Amino acid sequence: MAKYVYILTWCDRLENLYGTTLVFKTLRVGFPTAEIHVVDNASLPAVRPVLRQYAQECNANFTQLEQGIAHDQFIQQILNEQLEGSAIFVDPDICFWENVEGWSFEQLMAGRLIPKYACEYTGCITHLRLHTSFLWISNVCVLREQLKNLRSQYFEFEPFRPVMFKAEGIWQRFDTGGTLYAALSEQMYAFTEKELQAYDHLFCGTHFQRVASKLNPYYAFMLIGLHKAVQQDHTKLKDAWKMQDDYFNSLAV
């Protein structure tokens, strides 16, 4: 089955360019031959030529958006437009340590499972989901059919749109793709250590300044140090998923 990789880049501050371009250092390690599409989400004009060049050096297709698009809308648009095969979404602040192109999953979707936790940044209880930083849709045709069946009864269901709401006095959040996980969790594959060892994600690599001040001081210190180290040497990101898991587990509900 054909596999198509999609990367939505975004940089609104020059000091964040390191996170927006991180994936290009190892992109062809993870996907040596796959068809890759890089879409820039209306980044600063000054960095757009840089992003285009990085994409071209990786032999990836590049598209420049003049008006920004929400991440969930981007995923939904690809799902609507791709005719067949697998659709694989990769954030720009990821590094690959080995070839993942040969992966295949019987389940509808695969990714890193984020637990239900008390999110310090949003002030909400954030529900289970497969993280969209590396999200693998096994077969777009099958997923479209599943969504069609769901919407035939639950006509206001939006599978990827993030939502916040207050229920019984507590603010709740379904982040991007969270409602889809809740609806079809039995058809989702959560990455095991085997998959997690193959790549790492620099959490908030494109917008860390917005988040750091709201985090537990210990983890804020750890993440600030990680961001600084990765700017000098991307291999310092190796095994960051373990520290991130500790963070989520410390806030698990």
Side-chain angles (χ1 to χ4, degrees):
M1 181 179 294
K3 298 170 182 175
Y4 303 92
V5 178
Y6 300 94
I7 301 171
L8 187 66
T9 57
W10 175 66
C11 181
D12 68 339
R13 299 171 63 172
L14 285 175
E15 57 265 37
N16 292 335
L17 186 59
Y18 72 93
T20 309
T21 58
L22 186 61
V23 71
F24 298 111
K25 298 179 184 295
T26 59
L27 181 54
R28 285 302 182 184
V29 172
F31 293 94
T33 65
E35 182 175 316
I36 299 175
H37 296 267
V38 176
V39 179
D40 181 61
N41 199 15
S43 290
L44 290 171
V47 307
R48 296 180 186 184
V50 176
L51 296 171
R52 181 184 294 274
Q53 181 176 347
Y54 272 114
Q56 291 174 343
E57 289 174 354
C58 289
N59 194 28
N61 300 291
F62 182 85
T63 301
Q64 179 64 63
L65 298 183
E66 296 299 332
Q67 292 187 329
I69 185 172
H71 194 200
D72 64 293
Q73 293 175 327
F74 175 71
I75 295 173
Q76 187 64 61
Q77 180 177 317
I78 297 301
L79 181 60
N80 292 339
E81 294 178 354
Q82 184 176 313
L83 298 180
E84 59 185 3
S86 299
I88 303 160
F89 295 90
V90 175
D91 273 2
D93 46 6
I94 272 184
C95 284
F96 290 102
W97 312 123
E98 59 188 72
N99 185 346
V100 301
E101 195 170 299
W103 289 1
S104 63
F105 304 96
E106 295 180 3
Q107 293 82 354
L108 194 63
M109 288 172 49
R112 179 181 181 180
L113 181 65
I114 303 299
K116 182 179 179 181
Y117 74 105
C119 178
E120 296 178 302
Y121 176 61
T122 63
C124 297
I125 301 298
T126 297
H127 290 258
L128 288 162
R129 69 166 180 148
L130 297 183
H131 203 277
T132 50
S133 58
F134 186 16
L135 185 65
W136 194 297
I137 297 176
S138 300
N139 188 314
V140 293
C141 298
V142 173
L143 180 54
R144 276 197 298 266
E145 188 63 25
Q146 291 269 21
L147 294 179
K148 179 180 177 182
N149 292 338
L150 281 170
R151 284 170 168 155
S152 67
Q153 179 176 356
Y154 306 106
F155 48 87
E156 292 181 339
F157 175 61
E158 293 292 342
F160 294 104
R161 182 181 299 170
V163 294
M164 292 180 177
F165 60 95
K166 194 173 184 179
E168 300 180 350
I170 300 174
W171 277 95
Q172 313 279 338
R173 183 188 188 208
F174 284 89
D175 204 345
T176 307
T179 54
L180 179 58
Y181 184 87
L184 298 173
S185 58
E186 70 283 356
Q187 298 185 57
M188 304 289 179
Y189 177 85
F191 286 165
T192 66
E193 184 171 343
K194 175 185 175 182
E195 287 85 20
L196 293 172
Q197 289 282 25
Y199 78 101
D200 274 290
H201 175 219
L202 182 64
F203 266 50
C204 308
T206 59
H207 57 282
F208 186 57
Q209 296 88 345
R210 301 182 184 185
V211 179
S213 63
K214 295 189 176 183
L215 301 183
N216 172 295
Y218 170 76
Y219 286 104
F221 176 79
M222 295 289 286
L223 287 169
I224 289 170
L226 179 62
H227 275 249
K228 289 180 178 178
V230 169
Q231 290 184 56
Q232 302 300 319
D233 179 1
H234 71 276
T235 65
K236 298 296 185 182
L237 189 59
K238 186 74 172 72
D239 290 332
W241 67 272
K242 296 178 181 178
M243 181 261 286
Q244 294 160 356
D245 269 8
D246 288 342
Y247 173 72
F248 287 121
N249 289 334
S250 74
L251 298 171
V253 175

